[in-house]
Amino acid sequence: MTENHTALYGEHEKAGASFTDFGGWQMPLKYSSELAEHHAVRNAAGLFDLAHMGEVWVTGPDAAAFLDYALAGKLSAVAVGKAKYSLICKDDGGIIDDLISYRRSADRYLVVPNAGNAATVAALLAERSAGFDAAVENVSGETSLIAVQGPNAEAILLSLVPEDQHQLVTEMKYYSAAEVGITVNGATGKLLVARTGYTGEDGFEIYLPNAAAPALWQALLENGKDRGLIPAGLAARDSLRLEAGMPLYGNELSRDGHAYAAGLGPVVSLAKESDFVGKAALAAIKESGDGVTSGRRLVGLKGMGRRAARGHYTVLKDGAAVGEVTSGQPSPTLGYPVALAYVDVEHSAVGTRLDVDLRGKAEPFEVVALPFYKRQK
């Protein structure tokens, strides 16, 4: 299997990163301590290489109508400069991927799928565009994505932005994006900056050409070192997103699951006038109550002891299997184990006491509201 390297691979090597395979990409798992990186994001700032993610431009007079058909959300209702979280589904409602789409103009969107699904999503979008006056261009291979996340993220980014454009950053709302001038090595160029992230903290994601990525990475680290910025790897990214109750494709989301069981019903726009792939199946699923009043649904579990649940561990009620853990680990911020799990709906109410089979021993957990962690505004 071919190993893919991002444009920042050399920077990670110089920083002493430990690497891991993620969707065919060699990505930094951690640089020194995943706990230190996690706490840096919660208390100061962390810098992430997300260049393994996909970037697909959808353009043309029918771009909005096409995405309304291709995705489960109503992308035509997204204002220019805003973004929307959505799903691309199979005909049977199964989730092919969860993604973010940025509307850059009336007829131009940037669709961002997950790393392992980027090629699949790009190909599906191209296939589904038949009959629409819309072009699909996969630029994943030439685009890098750098994220700075944490309470100090705005100040760090502003240190590279000309003063006359500071307002573009300071007034940018969550799930918004703008072309912002960023100065690196004395030269200022406009880059797409989005106030989005996967950590539960304030932060920004910056899209740029591969060739420009190392210099921006270095400039952010240099300007952010006095504000506590350190590079952070996938281990910290996973513990941060879990605390924030955010699903991970391949864990909480899959082709065998659907939006209602995953708690993503609001993402599905059954009310939009146009048809979309999976609409009939999802309408039937909602009508049947599957994942809402029957079947299994995704919940948060708080450990009552010190031992953490892990993916695929069995959830028990009075000794009987009633679910399965999808993600779990000790929460560095909260100081107790947390997990996401699919459990039978009748045992999914907040406050329900359950057990998880931790290698032959039943460990107590309690169903709690998500997210586990919510930042102070």
Side-chain angles (χ1 to χ4, degrees), residues 64-75:
F66 160 58
L67 287 176
D68 276 355
Y69 167 74
L71 307 181
K74 190 172 182 179
L75 277 297

Side-chain angles (χ1 to χ4, degrees), residues 265-279:
V267 174
V268 179
S269 183
L270 292 175
K272 62 183 176 182
E273 300 80 6
S274 61
D275 190 17
F276 66 87
V277 179
K279 183 176 184 178

Side-chain angles (χ1 to χ4, degrees), residues 124-179:
L124 271 176
L125 289 175
E127 179 183 313
R128 293 180 182 183
S129 68
F132 292 92
D133 188 359
V136 176
E137 183 184 10
N138 183 4
V139 297
S140 304
E142 59 205 61
T143 307
S144 286
L145 175 57
I146 294 174
V148 55
Q149 299 277 301
N152 295 344
E154 182 180 284
I156 292 166
L157 180 59
L158 287 175
S159 71
L160 295 176
V161 175
E163 192 170 344
D164 63 356
Q165 294 189 49
H166 277 200
Q167 197 171 9
L168 286 174
V169 175
T170 59
E171 295 189 359
M172 189 182 295
K173 303 297 184 183
Y174 188 50
Y175 263 63
S176 296
E179 300 283 341

Side-chain angles (χ1 to χ4, degrees), residues 21-363:
D21 176 83
F22 190 86
W25 293 83
Q26 282 297 299
M27 298 299 295
L29 179 66
K30 62 179 181 178
Y31 296 85
S32 57
S33 160
E34 59 261 49
L35 284 177
E37 293 164 22
H38 178 107
H39 289 305
V41 175
R42 288 280 178 253
N43 300 306
L47 192 64
F48 295 88
D49 175 12
L50 307 181
H52 59 319
M53 299 287 282
E55 291 85 18
V56 181
W57 285 102
V58 175
T59 58
D62 289 348
F66 160 58
L67 287 176
D68 276 355
Y69 167 74
L71 307 181
K74 190 172 182 179
L75 277 297
S76 60
V78 178
V80 173
K82 300 295 185 180
K84 184 175 181 63
Y85 176 79
S86 191
L87 304 171
I88 182 167
C89 298
K90 301 194 305 179
D91 285 324
D92 66 2
I95 300 170
I96 295 169
D97 201 14
D98 63 328
L99 37 78
I100 296 178
S101 298
Y102 300 90
R103 192 170 196 173
R104 301 306 306 134
S105 67
D107 59 359
R108 191 165 186 254
Y109 291 79
L110 176 63
V111 179
V112 182
N114 285 298
N117 294 326
T120 298
V121 170
L124 271 176
L125 289 175
E127 179 183 313
R128 293 180 182 183
S129 68
F132 292 92
D133 188 359
V136 176
E137 183 184 10
N138 183 4
V139 297
S140 304
E142 59 205 61
T143 307
S144 286
L145 175 57
I146 294 174
V148 55
Q149 299 277 301
N152 295 344
E154 182 180 284
I156 292 166
L157 180 59
L158 287 175
S159 71
L160 295 176
V161 175
E163 192 170 344
D164 63 356
Q165 294 189 49
H166 277 200
Q167 197 171 9
L168 286 174
V169 175
T170 59
E171 295 189 359
M172 189 182 295
K173 303 297 184 183
Y174 188 50
Y175 263 63
S176 296
E179 300 283 341
V180 178
I182 294 181
T183 303
V184 176
N185 296 332
T188 301
K190 285 202 169 184
L191 300 176
L192 180 60
V193 176
R195 199 161 207 156
T196 48
Y198 195 51
T199 64
E201 295 296 336
D202 186 23
F204 300 87
E205 297 182 322
I206 307 166
Y207 296 85
L208 71 167
N210 286 340
L216 178 60
W217 180 269
Q218 294 163 11
L220 285 165
L221 284 175
E222 178 62 27
N223 283 37
K225 64 183 180 182
D226 291 338
R227 295 183 175 92
L229 179 68
I230 62 172
L234 291 183
R237 184 170 163 82
D238 192 48
S239 57
L240 290 159
R241 70 93 192 167
L242 177 56
E243 288 183 345
M246 295 179 174
L248 174 66
Y249 194 87
N251 288 35
E252 288 71 45
L253 307 178
S254 73
R255 290 172 177 249
D256 297 325
H258 58 78
Y260 297 105
L264 297 177
V267 174
V268 179
S269 183
L270 292 175
K272 62 183 176 182
E273 300 80 6
S274 61
D275 190 17
F276 66 87
V277 179
K279 183 176 184 178
L282 287 167
I285 290 168
K286 184 179 182 182
E287 180 68 23
S288 73
D290 184 21
V292 180
T293 59
S294 64
R296 285 183 173 177
R297 66 181 303 181
L298 189 67
V299 301
L301 296 177
K302 173 184 177 180
M304 310 308 291
R306 299 183 62 85
R307 296 181 66 199
R310 302 291 181 179
H312 304 298
Y313 283 16
T314 301
V315 181
L316 308 168
K317 180 66 175 179
D318 299 326
V322 297
E324 183 178 18
V325 173
T326 54
S327 299
Q329 61 179 287
S331 165
T333 304
L334 302 173
Y336 50 76
V338 296
L340 294 172
Y342 280 99
V343 303
D344 294 345
V345 167
E346 57 265 37
H347 303 301
S348 66
V350 170
T352 302
R353 292 297 184 96
L354 299 169
D355 295 314
V356 176
D357 183 348
L358 302 188
R359 297 182 179 178
K361 181 180 179 182
E363 190 75 15

